[in-house]
């Protein structure tokens, strides 16, 4: 790829991210939902990483393209940590009618700040080699403690809730395992516990839930996706723990993991695909609006 093409493509991609940041920021401003303003600087970090990724092709920065790839995984970890910490305990408490655990400030910071530090340190490999694992351990312990406060054991009767709990659990387990393992290959394999299990699993659980609500259906009266949720968790365990324990069977295990992951999302398409391309069942035409509740302003469709 020549220099002009790199500049053009990276600029187009970054412009898209900037427009998304503007759209989010504008809606936050209109709704006065200032606690969601963190999305804007988060998108700015993504723009920086995007330009940096193209610069590495030309060997310009003092870090590799792999470092940028690692940094963006930490970016997604940070995003999932913040959003998951808000919506997962809220959904669980609302579904099972118990008081939502109130965030503990120091625990929230302990769970989140190390992830931001890991994002930054990804661009400084020598510093990451020294500080990376201790930061993962701090974040992992804090994330696990925070997850336990959400009372996941109360959610086992509802797939759309326990799926969020179990897939999010992959995040602290990935952090702890990577922080404790000295074997580089095994540590890298455990990265997929987050990428496949937490990131992929939470997305699957969330889109299953959101599709029901935003097509005018009762959220908890839809198709049973338990098999899909178990499949994506199994895919994560096989791709991470399985490969770490039996590296000689790595390619077979990766194929099995990929098959389970594909099955999980294929089930989503099978059950929910038609809902996404047909009118809402309640006859209401979707439109963006803001509503104010006792919890503050929020957007709905």
């Amino acid at each position: 790829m020549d220099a002009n093409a790199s500049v053009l493509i990276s600029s187009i991609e970054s412009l898209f991210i900037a427009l998304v940041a503007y759209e989010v920021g504008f809606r936050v401003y209109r709704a006065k939902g200032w606690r969601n303003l963190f999305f804007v600087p988060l998108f700015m970090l993504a723009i920086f990483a995007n330009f940096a990724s193209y610069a590495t092709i030309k060997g310009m920065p003092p870090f590799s393209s792999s470092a940028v790839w690692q940094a963006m995984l930490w970016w997604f970890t940070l995003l999932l940590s913040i959003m998951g910490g808000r919506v997962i305990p809220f959904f669980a408490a609302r579904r099972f009618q118990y008081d939502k655990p109130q965030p503990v400030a120091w625990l929230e910071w302990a769970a989140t700040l190390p992830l931001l530090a890991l994002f930054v340190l990804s661009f400084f490999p020598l510093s990451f080699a020294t500080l990376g694992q201790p930061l993962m351990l701090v974040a992992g312990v804090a994330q696990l403690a925070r997850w336990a406060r959400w009372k996941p054991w109360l959610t086992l009767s509802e797939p759309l809730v326990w799926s969020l709990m179990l897939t999010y659990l992959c995040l602290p387990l990935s952090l702890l395992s990577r922080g404790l393992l000295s074997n580089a290959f095994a540590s890298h394999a455990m990265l997929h516990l987050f990428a496949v299990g937490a990131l992929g699993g939470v997305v699957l659980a969330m889109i299953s839930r959101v599709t029901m609500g935003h097509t005018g259906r009762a959220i908890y009266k839809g198709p049973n996706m338990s098999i899909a949720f178990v499949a994506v968790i199994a895919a994560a365990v096989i791709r991470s723990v399985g490969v770490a324990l039996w590296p000689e069977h790595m390619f077979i295990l990766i194929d099995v993991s990929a098959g389970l992951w594909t099955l999980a999302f294929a089930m989503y398409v099978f059950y929910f695909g038609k809902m996404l391309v047909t009118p809402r069942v309640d006859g209401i035409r979707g439109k963006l609006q803001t509503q104010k509740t006792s919890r503050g302003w929020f957007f709905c469709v």
Side-chain angles (χ1 to χ4, degrees):
M1 184 183 298
D2 61 49
N4 291 333
S6 296
V7 171
L8 177 61
I9 295 173
S10 61
S11 297
I12 292 173
E13 291 176 349
S14 297
L15 177 61
F16 172 77
I17 300 173
L19 289 173
V20 173
Y22 168 78
E23 184 70 14
V24 170
F26 179 71
R27 296 184 185 281
V28 167
Y29 170 76
R30 285 188 58 186
K32 302 296 187 289
W34 305 120
R35 67 195 299 262
N36 293 319
L37 199 60
F38 79 92
F39 278 114
V40 176
L42 203 59
F43 282 124
M44 295 301 105
L45 290 177
I47 290 174
F48 165 77
N50 185 60
F51 277 122
S53 68
Y54 282 93
T56 59
I57 297 175
K58 300 300 180 182
M60 295 169 61
F63 47 80
S64 65
S65 56
S66 176
V68 181
W69 175 75
Q70 292 280 351
M72 285 311 297
L73 279 175
W74 291 119
W75 186 90
F76 278 111
T77 308
L78 181 62
L79 177 65
L80 188 62
S81 172
I82 296 172
M83 291 304 300
R86 293 183 180 183
V87 302
I88 294 175
F90 171 73
F91 289 158
R94 190 170 184 178
R95 177 69 176 97
F96 293 98
Q97 300 299 305
Y98 63 82
D99 292 335
K100 174 182 173 292
Q102 294 304 307
V104 178
W106 68 265
L107 186 59
E108 295 295 316
W109 286 112
T112 304
L113 280 183
L115 302 179
L116 178 60
L118 287 163
F119 171 85
V120 175
L121 288 174
S122 295
F123 297 101
F124 305 94
L126 293 179
S127 298
F128 189 94
T130 303
L131 300 174
Q133 286 191 300
L135 286 170
M136 291 179 204
L137 286 175
V138 171
V141 170
Q143 289 280 351
L144 190 60
R146 185 174 71 153
W147 176 83
R149 295 186 69 249
W150 299 345
K151 304 177 182 178
W153 56 88
L154 298 178
T155 68
L156 298 179
S157 62
E158 179 51 66
L160 285 181
V161 182
W162 65 248
S163 57
L164 288 169
M165 291 287 186
L166 286 184
T167 52
Y168 189 90
L169 178 60
C170 292
L171 191 158
L173 293 182
S174 175
L175 288 168
L176 289 171
S177 58
R178 295 182 68 194
L180 291 170
L181 289 170
S182 57
N183 182 285
F185 177 84
S187 178
H188 180 78
M190 298 309 293
L191 180 154
H192 295 86
L193 190 58
F194 164 75
V196 178
L199 191 56
V202 169
V203 166
L204 180 63
M206 283 298 299
I207 60 177
S208 299
R209 176 191 178 90
V210 168
T211 300
M212 292 297 295
H214 286 250
T215 57
R217 294 170 169 84
I219 292 175
Y220 299 108
K221 300 295 184 180
N224 190 328
M225 287 282 286
S226 295
I227 293 176
F229 298 144
V230 170
V232 79
I233 293 170
V237 173
I238 291 170
R239 180 61 183 88
S240 55
V241 179
V243 170
L245 292 177
W246 299 288
E248 66 275 16
H249 302 300
M250 180 177 70
F251 293 109
I252 295 175
L253 293 171
I254 289 175
D255 288 343
V256 173
S257 175
L260 289 169
W261 195 91
T262 303
L263 170 66
F265 281 87
M267 288 184 65
Y268 171 80
V269 173
F270 177 79
Y271 284 124
F272 296 97
K274 185 178 179 180
M275 299 181 192
L276 298 173
V277 295
T278 53
R280 290 172 59 108
V281 295
D282 56 8
I284 298 175
R285 186 175 180 179
K287 62 179 180 179
L288 185 68
Q289 56 185 331
T290 57
Q291 292 184 2
K292 189 175 184 180
T293 69
S294 59
R295 297 181 179 87
W297 288 91
F298 68 95
F299 291 102
C300 61
V301 175

